[in-house]
Amino acid sequence: MKRVLCFIFCTILIFSMLTVANAQTETKLIAMTFDDGPSKYTVDLLNGLKDRDAKATFFIAGNRAGSNMSTIERMVAEGHQIGNHSYSHADLTTLSAQGMQNELNSCRNYLVKAGGEQTYMVRPPYGSYNQSVRNNANAPLILWSVDTLDWKHRNADTVYNNIINNAKDGSIVLCHDLYSTSVEGALRAIDTLKSRGYEFVTVSELLRRRDIPIENGKTYSSAYNKGVTLPPSVKPKNVEINTESVMGGKKVTLSCPTKDTSIYYTTDGSNPTNTSKKYTEPFLVTKVSDIKAVAFTSIAGDISSKKVWVEPAKLPGLDYKDGVLTLAPADDTTVYYTTNGSAPNDKSKVYSKPITITKTVSALVRQIGKADNTITYTLTAHGDLLTDIRADAWYYSAISDCMHYGIMKGTTAYEFSPKNTVTRAMFTTVLYRLSGETQSTYNPANFTDIKQNTWYSDAVNWAQTKGIVSGVSGNKFAPNNNITREEMCTMLARFFTSRGYEFALTDREVFVDASAISDWAKTSVDTLYRAKLINGIGNGIFAPKNTATRAECAKLSVDTYNSILMFE
Ligand code: NI
């Protein structure tokens, strides 16, 4: 009895050991590789591989990549591996280190565009390599153990037979996707070998499952079965992108339901790879962003994406009177502020009642789920309140004076818009105000695009009568065109002439771009430059065709105003 029990026990033990051993040894793997493509036959090959659920590795010729990018992208999308076969199929052993890197990088650039795992193994053309190739490849060198000689025979049966007769568990098979005969023979061989229990995997997967370390500069021509076969790579599930409203924006959390993955992501809408930013902890998004994320095991999962909407916190309503600033913070916002010009933060005073403003108030507006927003309230030198200029700006005093003298007005109740452009109608209006004329007693201007009783028609009527404006062409004034710097000079010089000023008209070429100044503007530009009313934009450049900003217009108008005060 004892003996029988022991026998049964041993049988069970041996049987279960055999089962484990079988599970490992029964897995038969082959890596099919296709060189020199893509070609017009590659799509047929991809269709055939898809039908058979077989993965392959494509060593791409760089000079065929550019016109076949969609095919290469499809390889990546369908789980095949792409590798580097140099740009022009050069024998790398004949090249200098620099030449070798040029050949490999020119091809690699296309592979990077297509994505895939970013190692890009190298198959040296002709299988030709030496120590210098090993040193410069910056990648593992992949050779083969079965050569189909498909390029020589161009016969599907030969390709089929060469694979069937020579391939074994762990083979790397060399074919070329340049020939229809190669595609046909390889697919038939895959059918036969699958029926014999073979699994078709990429080179990376073959080496990984045979537990062979992959190192740059090392050569690999097979991964025969030595009793170790690891389980297949698990394709990770999609990354889950979750957002939560927090103070200052949205907090983004990434997670993958598949265990032991690394997550990589981008926030600018580009496709992430395993060289993108690696996710380690939740991060804050402070503007509208396109988040894309992908998980990697030893292979990549699919990319997930999510648009995250983050708007700036709403600015408070505003009322200003006699040195007292009254704010109306929007619901759920907190307004922090300083009065000494320093940047406010969440330790600064919280707005609760009207503030006496002497020069400036800087505010930080915070709200859950919204990006931090800032605004600066600045009194001009004459006590007007503006939210879009700062006391240290070069145009601060010009804008202060301009508004005070009524030469230019704000664009809204509390904005001057110093960076906005100036139209021809606006500048004409500024000159009209500088002239001090207020009576609309001038004949309607005979420009076909000037309607009477518009905000600028009195000014244009006056300016044409005084010979200050002469229109653009075809009897048009183009009131809404942005005024150029040379047009502004010309109108201003004529403005002075109309007031009886006599200039020593000159047209010295003082600016390095003097030749770019239109003939009709040359004397005006030089004259105003000598009168110190205008200047270049720096480095001796005048930039005659640049448009002027409202800040520049303010400076010029105030200087003109002061000249008139001084001389009249
Ligand atoms: Ni080749």
Side-chain angles (χ1 to χ4, degrees):
M1 190 65 180
K2 218 172 187 182
R3 182 168 293 192
V4 175
L5 262 181
C6 179
F7 173 77
I8 292 172
F9 179 74
C10 288
T11 311
I12 292 171
L13 186 70
I14 290 166
F15 184 76
S16 58
M17 280 170 70
L18 275 174
T19 311
V20 169
N22 276 345
Q24 286 183 342
T25 52
E26 262 175 13
T27 307
K28 294 188 287 188
L29 306 172
I30 291 183
M32 297 294 293
T33 65
F34 295 89
D35 290 10
D36 299 0
S39 79
K40 58 180 173 178
Y41 304 112
T42 307
V43 171
D44 296 336
L45 177 57
L46 288 172
N47 292 340
L49 292 171
K50 193 173 186 182
D51 292 343
R52 290 161 179 79
D53 194 23
K55 304 298 178 211
T57 303
F58 292 86
F59 289 101
I60 306 287
N63 58 11
R64 287 182 160 271
S67 51
N68 289 293
M69 279 311 287
S70 60
T71 306
I72 302 175
E73 282 161 9
R74 179 177 164 191
M75 291 168 183
V76 173
E78 294 184 354
H80 303 295
Q81 184 180 353
I82 55 175
N84 193 334
H85 199 39
S86 85
Y87 182 79
S88 64
H89 209 271
D91 181 342
L92 299 177
T93 61
T94 65
L95 301 178
S96 66
Q98 187 59 54
M100 219 178 289
Q101 279 169 15
N102 290 347
E103 271 288 337
L104 293 174
N105 286 336
S106 310
C107 178
R108 190 175 194 279
N109 290 341
Y110 288 108
L111 303 181
V112 170
K113 271 185 216 157
E117 47 174 295
Q118 308 282 301
T119 46
Y120 305 124
M121 296 175 168
V122 167
R123 169 161 285 162
Y126 314 101
S128 171
Y129 67 94
N130 56 19
Q131 190 56 42
S132 175
V133 176
R134 286 180 190 274
N135 294 346
N136 287 288
N138 241 331
L141 301 174
I142 307 302
L143 305 170
W144 56 85
S145 56
V146 175
D147 188 349
T148 58
L149 296 174
D150 56 340
W151 55 273
K152 195 161 146 191
H153 302 295
R154 313 268 179 106
N155 179 306
D157 290 337
T158 314
V159 173
Y160 173 84
N161 287 324
N162 282 345
I163 297 173
I164 296 298
N165 295 337
N166 299 297
K168 54 180 182 170
D169 186 7
S171 292
I172 297 178
V173 179
L174 170 65
C175 304
H176 298 81
D177 51 330
L178 292 182
Y179 315 106
S180 61
T181 47
S182 302
V183 172
E184 190 194 329
L187 290 175
R188 263 164 51 198
I190 290 172
D191 285 334
T192 302
L193 291 170
K194 272 187 76 117
S195 72
R196 294 179 190 171
Y198 280 90
E199 206 181 311
F200 287 84
V201 294
T202 64
V203 170
S204 281
E205 179 75 349
L206 172 67
L207 297 177
R208 190 193 65 78
R209 290 184 65 184
R210 287 284 142 83
D211 207 18
I212 297 172
I214 301 176
E215 292 167 33
N216 290 355
K218 271 190 89 168
T219 56
Y220 300 86
S221 51
S222 64
Y224 294 134
N225 194 339
K226 293 181 180 152
V228 180
T229 301
L230 302 177
S233 285
V234 181
K235 181 174 170 174
K237 295 212 170 84
N238 281 9
V239 173
E240 288 164 11
I241 304 174
N242 288 302
T243 59
E244 184 195 345
S245 286
V246 295
M247 189 58 86
K250 298 244 166 80
K251 188 172 86 174
V252 177
T253 307
L254 305 178
S255 59
C256 179
T258 309
K259 267 196 214 160
D260 298 326
T261 58
S262 299
I263 298 175
Y264 300 87
Y265 70 97
T266 59
T267 56
D268 61 0
S270 63
N271 283 340
T273 67
N274 57 359
T275 56
S276 303
K277 197 168 168 60
K278 189 170 181 177
Y279 177 77
T280 52
E281 57 184 1
F283 56 95
L284 185 71
V285 168
T286 59
K287 59 181 184 194
V288 178
S289 302
D290 254 323
I291 311 279
K292 287 191 174 181
V294 63
F296 277 78
T297 48
S298 53
I299 56 171
D302 293 329
I303 292 172
S304 352
S305 63
K306 182 170 191 170
K307 187 132 188 153
V308 180
W309 293 93
V310 181
E311 273 147 34
K314 199 169 185 326
L315 294 174
L318 163 62
D319 190 44
Y320 172 72
K321 209 175 172 201
D322 302 332
V324 178
L325 184 64
T326 306
L327 302 179
D331 289 348
D332 307 321
T333 63
T334 307
V335 178
Y336 302 87
Y337 72 96
T338 61
T339 54
N340 61 1
S342 66
N345 57 40
D346 58 6
K347 307 278 184 297
S348 305
K349 257 188 232 164
V350 174
Y351 179 87
S352 59
K353 60 179 195 299
I355 314 166
T356 303
I357 177 170
T358 52
K359 184 148 198 182
T360 185
V361 168
S362 304
L364 165 70
V365 187
R366 304 202 81 198
Q367 185 174 7
I368 288 176
K370 303 287 166 92
D372 288 356
N373 205 350
T374 56
I375 185 165
T376 306
Y377 308 92
T378 304
L379 285 185
T380 68
H382 304 285
D384 293 307
L385 186 85
L386 291 174
T387 57
D388 57 359
I389 67 166
R390 301 183 69 107
D392 56 3
W394 64 264
Y395 44 74
Y396 171 79
S397 63
I399 288 175
S400 300
D401 292 350
C402 237
M403 290 183 67
H404 183 62
Y405 300 144
I407 305 167
M408 290 176 79
K409 296 169 183 165
T411 48
T412 68
Y414 300 110
E415 286 171 308
F416 187 81
S417 309
K419 307 265 162 62
N420 281 14
T421 53
V422 179
T423 63
R424 290 168 52 83
M426 284 178 196
F427 190 65
T428 307
T429 305
V430 164
L431 291 179
Y432 184 50
R433 289 179 187 146
L434 281 168
S435 76
E437 304 233 16
T438 49
Q439 301 292 325
S440 56
T441 55
Y442 296 94
N443 289 332
N446 57 0
F447 297 117
T448 55
D449 55 355
I450 295 295
K451 280 202 192 94
Q452 293 304 309
N453 301 316
T454 52
W455 61 265
Y456 52 79
S457 54
D458 284 353
V460 176
N461 297 346
W462 161 82
Q464 193 186 38
T465 307
K466 297 285 182 183
I468 293 165
V469 299
S470 57
V472 285
S473 63
N475 245 16
K476 291 213 154 58
F477 182 69
N480 298 320
N481 281 12
N482 287 328
I483 195 163
T484 63
R485 287 166 51 81
E486 65 179 5
E487 284 173 338
M488 202 154 73
C489 284
T490 306
M491 282 164 62
L492 185 59
R494 290 179 186 154
F495 169 83
F496 279 112
T497 306
S498 77
R499 301 179 75 83
Y501 287 68
E502 282 182 23
F503 295 116
L505 292 176
T506 54
D507 59 355
R508 300 161 311 143
E509 304 210 325
V510 292
F511 294 106
V512 295
D513 57 347
S515 62
I517 302 174
S518 301
D519 285 340
W520 49 260
K522 280 194 159 90
T523 52
S524 302
V525 170
D526 190 38
T527 303
L528 293 178
Y529 175 73
R530 286 163 71 103
K532 294 192 163 55
L533 278 168
I534 58 131
N535 220 325
I537 60 168
N539 297 325
I541 298 166
F542 180 67
K545 308 289 194 277
N546 277 19
T547 53
T549 62
R550 283 174 53 83
E552 286 167 343
C553 181
K555 178 83 172 73
L556 187 60
S557 322
V558 167
D559 289 349
T560 302
Y561 181 87
N562 290 331
S563 301
I564 293 172
L565 277 188
M566 197 184 301
F567 294 115
E568 294 184 14

